[in-house]
Amino acid sequence: MTNLNLEQGRIRPPSEATSLLLRITRNCPWNRCEFCRTYKGERFSLRTVEEVKEEVDAIREIVSELKALSWKQGFGGEIAAPWVNHILQNPEHYPEGFGSVALWLYNEGRNVFLQDGDNLILKTGPLVEILNYLKKAFPSIERITTYARGKTVSKKTVEELQELRRAGLSRIHIGLETGYDPLLQYVKKGVTAQEQIDAGGKVKDSGISLSEYVVLGLGGKGMWREHAIGTARVLNQINPDFIRIRTLKVLNTMPLYQKIEKGEFILMSDDEIVREERLFIENLEGIDSTFVSDHILNLLEGVEGKLPEEKGRMIALIDRYLALPAEEKINFRLGRRAGFYRSIDDLSNPVLKRQVEEALGRIEKEVSGGVEKVISDLTGSFI
């Protein structure tokens, strides 16, 4: 068995859960956003083209070894579910990255996600060379995606992005976070709303699929309205393929936590964030993006769909939650965070509802700080 560990970055979008992870850079070149803790204390560096090519070669070796081991395990060379589960459940017996390659093969080896936080900081030529080498090594690949900063993308030409698309880059994930300039400055995002618009427009013009991320609650109680309306205004000008929602959760390892401690930033409640989301969706006009709520931090997972046709349904679902009695809201919030519920409809399941009610009773008796403390701790565990 090869003893070469694959370099694995810390994060990837939920939509890339079964993708092959290939690290192109290490950490984030900006690394100053006050709502993020992912790369704090870590230095940014570029991997060389030769390093990445060697890793692609190592992945190819792992693929061969997985198939050979499958024969020995009695699976006839197939990357079968029991074999993949065994690898994932016993990571200590395999080099780092072995499990992710197995999972990738199990899902037909079609998708690749390039790590880390801003791979388009590479010059276009070297990145094209990597993409070409990767696709030649694995002809089964159909989609290659990456994170990138809007500031970085805004400095690329449409022609450069088209060159990347021809080499195989299928989708770019950009953290818009907010379209309100004072808030962008406050959280030290290092980009302006206009630069985000320019970046998004270039990606769209190049033919590469675009995902833009928005952080609900990022404006706190002081800037929530401007955050919602300003972000919708920017997205209306970009018209990304996907708008992906995340909900703010501040841990004590994030710089924003210090502003909360000083009373400069006041967090919003779940209900206030839901109202902010409603205002945000109301102001999305003239676009045909797909609105996606694909993270457990989001309270209302069901608020997603194609714009504009499903906009009314999404707002109606928000209104349905807001109309719940207070005791039903607290039950749903705990049930959602604890994994009992996925949608408001689950409140109609008497078994699940009774289990959550019993948990609420125990929390009120046994936990200092009560249910709000438990919900906060649960959401913190999802980051």
PDB file of all heavy atoms in Angstrom, residues 1-34:
ATOM      1  N   MET A   1       0.850  -1.199   0.000  1.00  0.00           N
ATOM      2  CA  MET A   1       0.000   0.000   0.000  1.00  0.00           C
ATOM      3  C   MET A   1       0.877   1.237   0.000  1.00  0.00           C
ATOM      4  O   MET A   1       1.855   1.316   0.729  1.00  0.00           O
ATOM      5  CB  MET A   1      -0.918  -0.007   1.232  1.00  0.00           C
ATOM      6  CG  MET A   1      -1.888   1.163   1.299  1.00  0.00           C
ATOM      7  SD  MET A   1      -2.887   1.131   2.795  1.00  0.00           S
ATOM      8  CE  MET A   1      -3.796  -0.394   2.556  1.00  0.00           C
ATOM      9  N   THR A   2       0.511   2.225  -0.836  1.00  0.00           N
ATOM     10  CA  THR A   2       1.297   3.447  -0.870  1.00  0.00           C
ATOM     11  C   THR A   2       1.282   4.149   0.479  1.00  0.00           C
ATOM     12  O   THR A   2       0.283   4.126   1.191  1.00  0.00           O
ATOM     13  CB  THR A   2       0.739   4.424  -1.941  1.00  0.00           C
ATOM     14  OG1 THR A   2       1.551   5.592  -1.941  1.00  0.00           O
ATOM     15  CG2 THR A   2      -0.693   4.817  -1.646  1.00  0.00           C
ATOM     16  N   ASN A   3       2.435   4.707   0.854  1.00  0.00           N
ATOM     17  CA  ASN A   3       2.524   5.407   2.137  1.00  0.00           C
ATOM     18  C   ASN A   3       2.466   6.923   1.967  1.00  0.00           C
ATOM     19  O   ASN A   3       2.771   7.673   2.869  1.00  0.00           O
ATOM     20  CB  ASN A   3       3.804   5.012   2.875  1.00  0.00           C
ATOM     21  CG  ASN A   3       5.056   5.316   2.071  1.00  0.00           C
ATOM     22  OD1 ASN A   3       4.975   5.943   1.018  1.00  0.00           O
ATOM     23  ND2 ASN A   3       6.204   4.862   2.557  1.00  0.00           N
ATOM     24  N   LEU A   4       2.095   7.373   0.773  1.00  0.00           N
ATOM     25  CA  LEU A   4       2.004   8.802   0.513  1.00  0.00           C
ATOM     26  C   LEU A   4       0.638   9.324   0.929  1.00  0.00           C
ATOM     27  O   LEU A   4      -0.393   8.917   0.389  1.00  0.00           O
ATOM     28  CB  LEU A   4       2.230   9.088  -0.977  1.00  0.00           C
ATOM     29  CG  LEU A   4       2.107  10.555  -1.396  1.00  0.00           C
ATOM     30  CD1 LEU A   4       3.166  11.401  -0.691  1.00  0.00           C
ATOM     31  CD2 LEU A   4       2.212  10.696  -2.900  1.00  0.00           C
ATOM     32  N   ASN A   5       0.629  10.222   1.927  1.00  0.00           N
ATOM     33  CA  ASN A   5      -0.616  10.863   2.336  1.00  0.00           C
ATOM     34  C   ASN A   5      -0.947  11.995   1.377  1.00  0.00           C
ATOM     35  O   ASN A   5      -0.070  12.769   0.985  1.00  0.00           O
ATOM     36  CB  ASN A   5      -0.490  11.430   3.750  1.00  0.00           C
ATOM     37  CG  ASN A   5      -0.486  10.360   4.809  1.00  0.00           C
ATOM     38  OD1 ASN A   5      -1.320   9.458   4.788  1.00  0.00           O
ATOM     39  ND2 ASN A   5       0.451  10.442   5.745  1.00  0.00           N
ATOM     40  N   LEU A   6      -2.218  12.102   1.008  1.00  0.00           N
ATOM     41  CA  LEU A   6      -2.660  13.224   0.193  1.00  0.00           C
ATOM     42  C   LEU A   6      -2.853  14.440   1.083  1.00  0.00           C
ATOM     43  O   LEU A   6      -3.340  14.330   2.202  1.00  0.00           O
ATOM     44  CB  LEU A   6      -3.968  12.883  -0.516  1.00  0.00           C
ATOM     45  CG  LEU A   6      -3.978  11.627  -1.391  1.00  0.00           C
ATOM     46  CD1 LEU A   6      -5.348  11.450  -2.011  1.00  0.00           C
ATOM     47  CD2 LEU A   6      -2.909  11.694  -2.463  1.00  0.00           C
ATOM     48  N   GLU A   7      -2.481  15.600   0.604  1.00  0.00           N
ATOM     49  CA  GLU A   7      -2.746  16.829   1.359  1.00  0.00           C
ATOM     50  C   GLU A   7      -4.228  17.142   1.273  1.00  0.00           C
ATOM     51  O   GLU A   7      -4.780  17.241   0.182  1.00  0.00           O
ATOM     52  CB  GLU A   7      -1.941  17.998   0.793  1.00  0.00           C
ATOM     53  CG  GLU A   7      -0.562  18.129   1.385  1.00  0.00           C
ATOM     54  CD  GLU A   7      -0.064  19.568   1.353  1.00  0.00           C
ATOM     55  OE1 GLU A   7      -0.866  20.492   1.567  1.00  0.00           O
ATOM     56  OE2 GLU A   7       1.135  19.728   1.110  1.00  0.00           O
ATOM     57  N   GLN A   8      -4.869  17.319   2.419  1.00  0.00           N
ATOM     58  CA  GLN A   8      -6.287  17.626   2.453  1.00  0.00           C
ATOM     59  C   GLN A   8      -6.506  18.950   3.168  1.00  0.00           C
ATOM     60  O   GLN A   8      -6.043  19.145   4.300  1.00  0.00           O
ATOM     61  CB  GLN A   8      -7.062  16.524   3.178  1.00  0.00           C
ATOM     62  CG  GLN A   8      -6.894  15.136   2.559  1.00  0.00           C
ATOM     63  CD  GLN A   8      -7.818  14.893   1.384  1.00  0.00           C
ATOM     64  OE1 GLN A   8      -8.959  14.480   1.536  1.00  0.00           O
ATOM     65  NE2 GLN A   8      -7.295  15.127   0.189  1.00  0.00           N
ATOM     66  N   GLY A   9      -7.194  19.873   2.523  1.00  0.00           N
ATOM     67  CA  GLY A   9      -7.561  21.122   3.180  1.00  0.00           C
ATOM     68  C   GLY A   9      -8.679  20.894   4.179  1.00  0.00           C
ATOM     69  O   GLY A   9      -9.219  19.800   4.308  1.00  0.00           O
ATOM     70  N   ARG A  10      -9.065  21.960   4.883  1.00  0.00           N
ATOM     71  CA  ARG A  10     -10.033  21.813   5.985  1.00  0.00           C
ATOM     72  C   ARG A  10     -11.484  21.829   5.537  1.00  0.00           C
ATOM     73  O   ARG A  10     -12.336  21.247   6.213  1.00  0.00           O
ATOM     74  CB  ARG A  10      -9.818  22.940   6.994  1.00  0.00           C
ATOM     75  CG  ARG A  10      -8.471  22.895   7.678  1.00  0.00           C
ATOM     76  CD  ARG A  10      -8.377  23.989   8.730  1.00  0.00           C
ATOM     77  NE  ARG A  10      -7.066  23.995   9.357  1.00  0.00           N
ATOM     78  CZ  ARG A  10      -6.708  24.846  10.308  1.00  0.00           C
ATOM     79  NH1 ARG A  10      -7.577  25.762  10.724  1.00  0.00           N
ATOM     80  NH2 ARG A  10      -5.510  24.809  10.833  1.00  0.00           N
ATOM     81  N   ILE A  11     -11.783  22.538   4.462  1.00  0.00           N
ATOM     82  CA  ILE A  11     -13.196  22.733   4.136  1.00  0.00           C
ATOM     83  C   ILE A  11     -13.467  22.467   2.669  1.00  0.00           C
ATOM     84  O   ILE A  11     -12.574  22.488   1.830  1.00  0.00           O
ATOM     85  CB  ILE A  11     -13.670  24.164   4.500  1.00  0.00           C
ATOM     86  CG1 ILE A  11     -12.826  25.217   3.759  1.00  0.00           C
ATOM     87  CG2 ILE A  11     -13.624  24.380   6.003  1.00  0.00           C
ATOM     88  CD1 ILE A  11     -13.339  26.635   3.925  1.00  0.00           C
ATOM     89  N   ARG A  12     -14.755  22.238   2.403  1.00  0.00           N
ATOM     90  CA  ARG A  12     -15.288  22.125   1.048  1.00  0.00           C
ATOM     91  C   ARG A  12     -16.778  22.383   1.153  1.00  0.00           C
ATOM     92  O   ARG A  12     -17.372  22.236   2.225  1.00  0.00           O
ATOM     93  CB  ARG A  12     -15.005  20.738   0.469  1.00  0.00           C
ATOM     94  CG  ARG A  12     -15.409  19.604   1.437  1.00  0.00           C
ATOM     95  CD  ARG A  12     -16.440  18.687   0.845  1.00  0.00           C
ATOM     96  NE  ARG A  12     -16.851  17.674   1.816  1.00  0.00           N
ATOM     97  CZ  ARG A  12     -18.010  17.689   2.463  1.00  0.00           C
ATOM     98  NH1 ARG A  12     -18.853  18.680   2.270  1.00  0.00           N
ATOM     99  NH2 ARG A  12     -18.325  16.723   3.304  1.00  0.00           N
ATOM    100  N   PRO A  13     -17.430  22.804   0.078  1.00  0.00           N
ATOM    101  CA  PRO A  13     -18.878  23.028   0.128  1.00  0.00           C
ATOM    102  C   PRO A  13     -19.618  21.707   0.374  1.00  0.00           C
ATOM    103  O   PRO A  13     -19.147  20.641  -0.050  1.00  0.00           O
ATOM    104  CB  PRO A  13     -19.205  23.577  -1.266  1.00  0.00           C
ATOM    105  CG  PRO A  13     -17.900  24.054  -1.822  1.00  0.00           C
ATOM    106  CD  PRO A  13     -16.859  23.160  -1.232  1.00  0.00           C
ATOM    107  N   PRO A  14     -20.783  21.745   1.032  1.00  0.00           N
ATOM    108  CA  PRO A  14     -21.575  20.524   1.196  1.00  0.00           C
ATOM    109  C   PRO A  14     -21.898  19.847  -0.136  1.00  0.00           C
ATOM    110  O   PRO A  14     -21.996  18.621  -0.200  1.00  0.00           O
ATOM    111  CB  PRO A  14     -22.848  21.030   1.886  1.00  0.00           C
ATOM    112  CG  PRO A  14     -22.418  22.247   2.623  1.00  0.00           C
ATOM    113  CD  PRO A  14     -21.387  22.889   1.754  1.00  0.00           C
ATOM    114  N   SER A  15     -22.043  20.647  -1.182  1.00  0.00           N
ATOM    115  CA  SER A  15     -22.360  20.084  -2.499  1.00  0.00           C
ATOM    116  C   SER A  15     -21.208  19.272  -3.081  1.00  0.00           C
ATOM    117  O   SER A  15     -21.376  18.580  -4.081  1.00  0.00           O
ATOM    118  CB  SER A  15     -22.737  21.209  -3.477  1.00  0.00           C
ATOM    119  OG  SER A  15     -21.681  22.166  -3.578  1.00  0.00           O
ATOM    120  N   GLU A  16     -20.023  19.353  -2.446  1.00  0.00           N
ATOM    121  CA  GLU A  16     -18.856  18.601  -2.916  1.00  0.00           C
ATOM    122  C   GLU A  16     -18.509  17.459  -1.962  1.00  0.00           C
ATOM    123  O   GLU A  16     -17.367  17.013  -1.899  1.00  0.00           O
ATOM    124  CB  GLU A  16     -17.654  19.542  -3.070  1.00  0.00           C
ATOM    125  CG  GLU A  16     -17.899  20.750  -3.926  1.00  0.00           C
ATOM    126  CD  GLU A  16     -18.152  20.424  -5.390  1.00  0.00           C
ATOM    127  OE1 GLU A  16     -17.814  19.310  -5.821  1.00  0.00           O
ATOM    128  OE2 GLU A  16     -18.695  21.292  -6.113  1.00  0.00           O
ATOM    129  N   ALA A  17     -19.516  16.959  -1.245  1.00  0.00           N
ATOM    130  CA  ALA A  17     -19.273  15.934  -0.224  1.00  0.00           C
ATOM    131  C   ALA A  17     -18.662  14.663  -0.780  1.00  0.00           C
ATOM    132  O   ALA A  17     -17.902  13.970  -0.096  1.00  0.00           O
ATOM    133  CB  ALA A  17     -20.578  15.614   0.508  1.00  0.00           C
ATOM    134  N   THR A  18     -18.986  14.309  -2.009  1.00  0.00           N
ATOM    135  CA  THR A  18     -18.468  13.064  -2.588  1.00  0.00           C
ATOM    136  C   THR A  18     -17.446  13.322  -3.688  1.00  0.00           C
ATOM    137  O   THR A  18     -17.088  12.422  -4.439  1.00  0.00           O
ATOM    138  CB  THR A  18     -19.619  12.215  -3.147  1.00  0.00           C
ATOM    139  OG1 THR A  18     -20.315  12.955  -4.169  1.00  0.00           O
ATOM    140  CG2 THR A  18     -20.599  11.830  -2.057  1.00  0.00           C
ATOM    141  N   SER A  19     -16.965  14.562  -3.769  1.00  0.00           N
ATOM    142  CA  SER A  19     -15.979  14.912  -4.785  1.00  0.00           C
ATOM    143  C   SER A  19     -14.574  14.523  -4.333  1.00  0.00           C
ATOM    144  O   SER A  19     -14.273  14.454  -3.140  1.00  0.00           O
ATOM    145  CB  SER A  19     -16.004  16.418  -5.069  1.00  0.00           C
ATOM    146  OG  SER A  19     -17.254  16.824  -5.585  1.00  0.00           O
ATOM    147  N   LEU A  20     -13.703  14.309  -5.286  1.00  0.00           N
ATOM    148  CA  LEU A  20     -12.287  14.153  -5.005  1.00  0.00           C
ATOM    149  C   LEU A  20     -11.738  15.509  -4.581  1.00  0.00           C
ATOM    150  O   LEU A  20     -12.011  16.528  -5.218  1.00  0.00           O
ATOM    151  CB  LEU A  20     -11.555  13.670  -6.265  1.00  0.00           C
ATOM    152  CG  LEU A  20     -10.025  13.544  -6.149  1.00  0.00           C
ATOM    153  CD1 LEU A  20      -9.651  12.411  -5.213  1.00  0.00           C
ATOM    154  CD2 LEU A  20      -9.408  13.339  -7.524  1.00  0.00           C
ATOM    155  N   LEU A  21     -10.974  15.538  -3.482  1.00  0.00           N
ATOM    156  CA  LEU A  21     -10.393  16.776  -2.982  1.00  0.00           C
ATOM    157  C   LEU A  21      -8.929  16.847  -3.405  1.00  0.00           C
ATOM    158  O   LEU A  21      -8.127  15.982  -3.051  1.00  0.00           O
ATOM    159  CB  LEU A  21     -10.508  16.837  -1.456  1.00  0.00           C
ATOM    160  CG  LEU A  21     -11.928  16.691  -0.895  1.00  0.00           C
ATOM    161  CD1 LEU A  21     -11.909  16.747   0.621  1.00  0.00           C
ATOM    162  CD2 LEU A  21     -12.872  17.744  -1.460  1.00  0.00           C
ATOM    163  N   LEU A  22      -8.588  17.885  -4.161  1.00  0.00           N
ATOM    164  CA  LEU A  22      -7.225  18.073  -4.657  1.00  0.00           C
ATOM    165  C   LEU A  22      -6.761  19.460  -4.237  1.00  0.00           C
ATOM    166  O   LEU A  22      -7.322  20.473  -4.657  1.00  0.00           O
ATOM    167  CB  LEU A  22      -7.178  17.935  -6.180  1.00  0.00           C
ATOM    168  CG  LEU A  22      -5.803  18.091  -6.826  1.00  0.00           C
ATOM    169  CD1 LEU A  22      -4.867  16.960  -6.395  1.00  0.00           C
ATOM    170  CD2 LEU A  22      -5.927  18.114  -8.357  1.00  0.00           C
ATOM    171  N   ARG A  23      -5.725  19.501  -3.400  1.00  0.00           N
ATOM    172  CA  ARG A  23      -5.277  20.778  -2.840  1.00  0.00           C
ATOM    173  C   ARG A  23      -4.326  21.482  -3.809  1.00  0.00           C
ATOM    174  O   ARG A  23      -3.277  20.950  -4.164  1.00  0.00           O
ATOM    175  CB  ARG A  23      -4.588  20.551  -1.500  1.00  0.00           C
ATOM    176  CG  ARG A  23      -4.483  21.806  -0.657  1.00  0.00           C
ATOM    177  CD  ARG A  23      -3.960  21.501   0.728  1.00  0.00           C
ATOM    178  NE  ARG A  23      -4.248  22.598   1.645  1.00  0.00           N
ATOM    179  CZ  ARG A  23      -3.857  22.619   2.920  1.00  0.00           C
ATOM    180  NH1 ARG A  23      -3.181  21.606   3.418  1.00  0.00           N
ATOM    181  NH2 ARG A  23      -4.156  23.651   3.691  1.00  0.00           N
ATOM    182  N   ILE A  24      -4.703  22.698  -4.208  1.00  0.00           N
ATOM    183  CA  ILE A  24      -3.916  23.487  -5.156  1.00  0.00           C
ATOM    184  C   ILE A  24      -3.106  24.556  -4.422  1.00  0.00           C
ATOM    185  O   ILE A  24      -1.967  24.845  -4.773  1.00  0.00           O
ATOM    186  CB  ILE A  24      -4.827  24.157  -6.199  1.00  0.00           C
ATOM    187  CG1 ILE A  24      -5.735  23.110  -6.870  1.00  0.00           C
ATOM    188  CG2 ILE A  24      -4.017  24.909  -7.239  1.00  0.00           C
ATOM    189  CD1 ILE A  24      -4.983  22.034  -7.622  1.00  0.00           C
ATOM    190  N   THR A  25      -3.722  25.164  -3.400  1.00  0.00           N
ATOM    191  CA  THR A  25      -3.040  26.132  -2.543  1.00  0.00           C
ATOM    192  C   THR A  25      -3.262  25.721  -1.099  1.00  0.00           C
ATOM    193  O   THR A  25      -4.076  24.845  -0.811  1.00  0.00           O
ATOM    194  CB  THR A  25      -3.561  27.565  -2.770  1.00  0.00           C
ATOM    195  OG1 THR A  25      -4.971  27.601  -2.458  1.00  0.00           O
ATOM    196  CG2 THR A  25      -3.350  28.016  -4.200  1.00  0.00           C
ATOM    197  N   ARG A  26      -2.549  26.392  -0.201  1.00  0.00           N
ATOM    198  CA  ARG A  26      -2.701  26.095   1.225  1.00  0.00           C
ATOM    199  C   ARG A  26      -3.256  27.321   1.945  1.00  0.00           C
ATOM    200  O   ARG A  26      -2.642  28.388   1.905  1.00  0.00           O
ATOM    201  CB  ARG A  26      -1.366  25.687   1.847  1.00  0.00           C
ATOM    202  CG  ARG A  26      -0.749  24.430   1.236  1.00  0.00           C
ATOM    203  CD  ARG A  26       0.574  24.104   1.934  1.00  0.00           C
ATOM    204  NE  ARG A  26       1.189  22.912   1.337  1.00  0.00           N
ATOM    205  CZ  ARG A  26       2.144  22.959   0.399  1.00  0.00           C
ATOM    206  NH1 ARG A  26       2.558  24.143  -0.057  1.00  0.00           N
ATOM    207  NH2 ARG A  26       2.660  21.846  -0.076  1.00  0.00           N
ATOM    208  N   ASN A  27      -4.422  27.154   2.543  1.00  0.00           N
ATOM    209  CA  ASN A  27      -5.037  28.184   3.372  1.00  0.00           C
ATOM    210  C   ASN A  27      -5.564  29.354   2.536  1.00  0.00           C
ATOM    211  O   ASN A  27      -5.918  29.155   1.374  1.00  0.00           O
ATOM    212  CB  ASN A  27      -4.061  28.618   4.464  1.00  0.00           C
ATOM    213  CG  ASN A  27      -3.511  27.408   5.218  1.00  0.00           C
ATOM    214  OD1 ASN A  27      -4.263  26.513   5.580  1.00  0.00           O
ATOM    215  ND2 ASN A  27      -2.215  27.367   5.418  1.00  0.00           N
ATOM    216  N   CYS A  28      -5.620  30.549   3.091  1.00  0.00           N
ATOM    217  CA  CYS A  28      -6.256  31.690   2.423  1.00  0.00           C
ATOM    218  C   CYS A  28      -5.292  32.862   2.345  1.00  0.00           C
ATOM    219  O   CYS A  28      -4.669  33.223   3.360  1.00  0.00           O
ATOM    220  CB  CYS A  28      -7.506  32.111   3.199  1.00  0.00           C
ATOM    221  SG  CYS A  28      -8.311  33.609   2.585  1.00  0.00           S
ATOM    222  N   PRO A  29      -5.142  33.495   1.177  1.00  0.00           N
ATOM    223  CA  PRO A  29      -4.202  34.614   1.041  1.00  0.00           C
ATOM    224  C   PRO A  29      -4.656  35.883   1.756  1.00  0.00           C
ATOM    225  O   PRO A  29      -3.834  36.765   2.031  1.00  0.00           O
ATOM    226  CB  PRO A  29      -4.127  34.830  -0.467  1.00  0.00           C
ATOM    227  CG  PRO A  29      -5.437  34.328  -0.985  1.00  0.00           C
ATOM    228  CD  PRO A  29      -5.797  33.169  -0.104  1.00  0.00           C
ATOM    229  N   TRP A  30      -5.956  36.010   2.045  1.00  0.00           N
ATOM    230  CA  TRP A  30      -6.475  37.195   2.728  1.00  0.00           C
ATOM    231  C   TRP A  30      -6.541  36.945   4.233  1.00  0.00           C
ATOM    232  O   TRP A  30      -5.874  37.610   5.019  1.00  0.00           O
ATOM    233  CB  TRP A  30      -7.854  37.561   2.177  1.00  0.00           C
ATOM    234  CG  TRP A  30      -8.515  38.704   2.884  1.00  0.00           C
ATOM    235  CD1 TRP A  30      -9.620  38.653   3.683  1.00  0.00           C
ATOM    236  CD2 TRP A  30      -8.105  40.076   2.857  1.00  0.00           C
ATOM    237  NE1 TRP A  30      -9.934  39.895   4.168  1.00  0.00           N
ATOM    238  CE2 TRP A  30      -9.013  40.791   3.666  1.00  0.00           C
ATOM    239  CE3 TRP A  30      -7.072  40.756   2.242  1.00  0.00           C
ATOM    240  CZ2 TRP A  30      -8.908  42.163   3.868  1.00  0.00           C
ATOM    241  CZ3 TRP A  30      -6.962  42.125   2.436  1.00  0.00           C
ATOM    242  CH2 TRP A  30      -7.886  42.812   3.247  1.00  0.00           C
ATOM    243  N   ASN A  31      -7.346  36.018   4.648  1.00  0.00           N
ATOM    244  CA  ASN A  31      -7.367  35.489   6.022  1.00  0.00           C
ATOM    245  C   ASN A  31      -7.607  36.554   7.092  1.00  0.00           C
ATOM    246  O   ASN A  31      -7.082  36.467   8.192  1.00  0.00           O
ATOM    247  CB  ASN A  31      -6.046  34.753   6.308  1.00  0.00           C
ATOM    248  CG  ASN A  31      -6.175  33.759   7.457  1.00  0.00           C
ATOM    249  OD1 ASN A  31      -7.275  33.370   7.827  1.00  0.00           O
ATOM    250  ND2 ASN A  31      -5.047  33.360   8.010  1.00  0.00           N
ATOM    251  N   ARG A  32      -8.403  37.582   6.766  1.00  0.00           N
ATOM    252  CA  ARG A  32      -8.687  38.624   7.748  1.00  0.00           C
ATOM    253  C   ARG A  32     -10.174  38.763   8.064  1.00  0.00           C
ATOM    254  O   ARG A  32     -10.550  39.609   8.879  1.00  0.00           O
ATOM    255  CB  ARG A  32      -8.156  39.974   7.251  1.00  0.00           C
ATOM    256  CG  ARG A  32      -6.659  39.985   6.996  1.00  0.00           C
ATOM    257  CD  ARG A  32      -6.195  41.294   6.412  1.00  0.00           C
ATOM    258  NE  ARG A  32      -4.964  41.124   5.659  1.00  0.00           N
ATOM    259  CZ  ARG A  32      -4.394  42.063   4.928  1.00  0.00           C
ATOM    260  NH1 ARG A  32      -4.962  43.254   4.834  1.00  0.00           N
ATOM    261  NH2 ARG A  32      -3.275  41.823   4.269  1.00  0.00           N
ATOM    262  N   CYS A  33     -11.024  37.995   7.404  1.00  0.00           N
ATOM    263  CA  CYS A  33     -12.469  38.108   7.632  1.00  0.00           C
ATOM    264  C   CYS A  33     -12.789  37.819   9.095  1.00  0.00           C
ATOM    265  O   CYS A  33     -12.381  36.790   9.641  1.00  0.00           O
ATOM    266  CB  CYS A  33     -13.231  37.141   6.720  1.00  0.00           C
ATOM    267  SG  CYS A  33     -13.025  37.470   4.959  1.00  0.00           S
ATOM    268  N   GLU A  34     -13.539  38.707   9.714  1.00  0.00           N
ATOM    269  CA  GLU A  34     -13.744  38.613  11.157  1.00  0.00           C
ATOM    270  C   GLU A  34     -14.769  37.570  11.561  1.00  0.00           C
ATOM    271  O   GLU A  34     -14.850  37.224  12.738  1.00  0.00           O
ATOM    272  CB  GLU A  34     -14.135  39.987  11.709  1.00  0.00           C
ATOM    273  CG  GLU A  34     -13.072  41.044  11.455  1.00  0.00           C
ATOM    274  CD  GLU A  34     -12.876  41.985  12.622  1.00  0.00           C
ATOM    275  OE1 GLU A  34     -13.875  42.273  13.307  1.00  0.00           O
ATOM    276  OE2 GLU A  34     -11.731  42.424  12.841  1.00  0.00           O
TER     277      GLU A  34
END
